[in-house]
Amino acid sequence: MIKKLKQFAVFTALVLGIAGCNTAEVSTNQGDLTQTTYALGTVININLYDQGDQTLMDEMIARVAAIENLMSAQIDDSEVSRITQQAGISPVVVSDETYEVVKKALYYAELSSGRFDPTIGPIVDLWGIGTEEARVPEQEEIDAALAYVDYSKIVLDDEEQTVFLSEEGMSLDLGGIAKGYTADVLVAMLDEANVERAMINLGGNIYAYGIKADGSPYKVAIQTPYDTRNTYFGYVEVSDMTVVTSGPYERYFEEAGQMYHHIFDAKTGYPTNGDVVSVSVIGPTSMDADALSTMLFTMSPEEGLAMIESIEGVDCVYVDEAYNLTLSEGLKDTFILTDEQYTIE
């Protein structure tokens, strides 16, 4: 049975802020601390409830910046950029963190037979979505860039802890997984500081830490695709869980009446094209949910659900352009529908 409620107090899975804003401290309830920053290409909001203090907040913000400096493809001297710069030339020794994330990205590349591919960088750069240079490339350009998209050409050396792109012209992009890793690192910091409750939001990648002061789980809403920010069609109740949504509405551009979004098909070099307009993954770790949500967006609901049902403790919500929702088994009795435009299949 699907519960339907009209109004409720909910922490939405949307960022209440302006991209590119400076770090800003916001006072909330007494004893709470909220801070917003911009990193990893998105607005990041951290809410520390009850036990929060500025020292911990500063440490968490600093950790986010440190991870960005390792893994951002937009920072010239990051480890990810150095891997790209040395493509076809030599392996690059990297930190434990970057090595872990690249290794996990390769795991999901293999699991998805390349639908999730961390070497998608040449295609991302070619389209420029999210920048002022966004455009529709010529087919010849796409074909040329696709020649350098092949996760099987990433060579890892566990003993030396090196990453090597074996062909010059290849490019590494961890955009589909780095935010999730960052959320998990912040959760570990909360554990170490003995914080009881907090909420982390990395551009729609939510982690609900602990439970609310009244003992109830957090309500995390799922954004309405293609609609105004801060609108949602339903929510899930979670504690110590992440909710990660992938969809075309965060970064896209329009040309000649056609919308082009930032989630690419690694086989065609074009944005994925199908009936699916949003996929949300709910699970215990953000890095896995981040990669899975991107991967599932490139699959049909039938394919995606078959994969999710094989992974213990993970659920998903598919949304198609006809306002149909497809839920994994674990959500069928717990997902809360709030918008009657949508139909549960």
Side-chain angles (χ1 to χ4, degrees), residues 143-160:
D143 291 341
L146 280 175
Y148 301 106
V149 178
D150 185 351
Y151 71 89
S152 70
K153 294 180 180 178
I154 298 178
V155 180
L156 301 184
D157 186 322
D158 289 345
E159 186 173 333
E160 299 295 329

Side-chain angles (χ1 to χ4, degrees), residues 74-325:
Q74 281 68 55
I75 296 176
D76 288 342
D77 60 351
S78 73
E79 290 185 341
V80 163
S81 291
R82 288 196 289 111
I83 291 166
T84 295
Q85 291 157 12
Q86 292 298 309
I89 301 172
S90 65
V92 176
V93 178
V94 297
S95 62
D96 292 346
E97 291 185 286
T98 299
Y99 198 77
E100 177 184 352
V101 175
V102 173
K103 202 164 189 177
K104 180 68 78 167
L106 273 179
Y107 167 80
Y108 280 109
E110 291 169 357
L111 182 66
S112 65
S113 299
R115 292 178 190 244
F116 179 93
D117 194 324
T119 66
I120 196 70
I123 294 295
V124 173
D125 294 340
L126 185 62
W127 284 80
I129 296 175
T131 73
E132 294 181 357
E133 287 75 40
R135 66 185 180 93
V136 179
E138 297 295 332
Q139 186 62 53
E140 292 80 5
E141 296 176 284
I142 292 173
D143 291 341
L146 280 175
Y148 301 106
V149 178
D150 185 351
Y151 71 89
S152 70
K153 294 180 180 178
I154 298 178
V155 180
L156 301 184
D157 186 322
D158 289 345
E159 186 173 333
E160 299 295 329
Q161 198 162 290
T162 59
V163 181
F164 181 46
L165 302 180
S166 62
E167 192 169 325
E168 188 174 358
M170 293 183 69
S171 176
L172 188 64
D173 190 314
L174 299 179
I177 197 169
K179 283 196 302 181
Y181 173 77
T182 303
D184 290 336
V185 168
L186 297 181
V187 167
M189 294 178 73
L190 295 174
D191 286 340
E192 187 174 348
N194 295 316
V195 171
E196 290 187 10
R197 57 188 62 89
M199 184 73 71
I200 299 167
N201 186 337
L202 291 87
N205 184 321
I206 305 293
Y207 194 98
Y209 185 86
I211 56 176
K212 294 194 293 186
D214 63 5
S216 64
Y218 290 99
K219 298 183 174 83
V220 178
I222 301 174
Q223 180 176 340
T224 303
Y226 300 123
D227 207 342
T228 308
R229 278 181 175 273
N230 306 336
T231 62
Y232 44 84
F233 60 83
Y235 70 93
V236 291
E237 295 184 320
V238 293
S239 60
D240 294 321
M241 296 284 278
T242 191
V243 181
V244 181
T245 299
S246 286
Y249 42 81
E250 288 297 334
R251 281 187 291 158
Y252 65 91
F253 74 101
E254 294 185 21
E255 185 172 302
Q258 176 72 39
M259 189 190 87
Y260 299 94
H261 60 77
H262 70 291
I263 304 175
F264 292 99
D265 184 327
K267 305 302 181 186
T268 68
Y270 284 85
T272 56
N273 185 24
D275 294 336
V276 175
V277 295
S278 174
V279 180
S280 297
V281 174
I282 300 94
T285 60
S286 276
M287 181 160 61
D288 292 301
D290 200 3
L292 282 168
S293 67
T294 302
M295 190 167 77
L296 264 59
F297 189 82
T298 69
M299 299 178 173
S300 69
E302 293 75 21
E303 291 177 294
L305 285 171
M307 177 167 289
I308 286 296
E309 300 297 358
S310 71
I311 304 173
E312 186 176 355
V314 179
D315 284 293
C316 72
V317 180
Y318 266 96
V319 186
D320 70 22
E321 59 187 9
Y323 295 87
N324 296 312
L325 306 181

Side-chain angles (χ1 to χ4, degrees), residues 10-42:
V10 60
F11 183 91
T12 63
L14 311 169
V15 178
L16 304 180
I18 300 172
C21 65
N22 294 325
T23 301
E25 182 180 337
V26 180
S27 177
T28 55
N29 297 326
Q30 186 175 4
D32 295 351
L33 184 62
T34 299
Q35 194 154 323
T36 301
T37 189
Y38 185 82
L40 297 166
T42 193

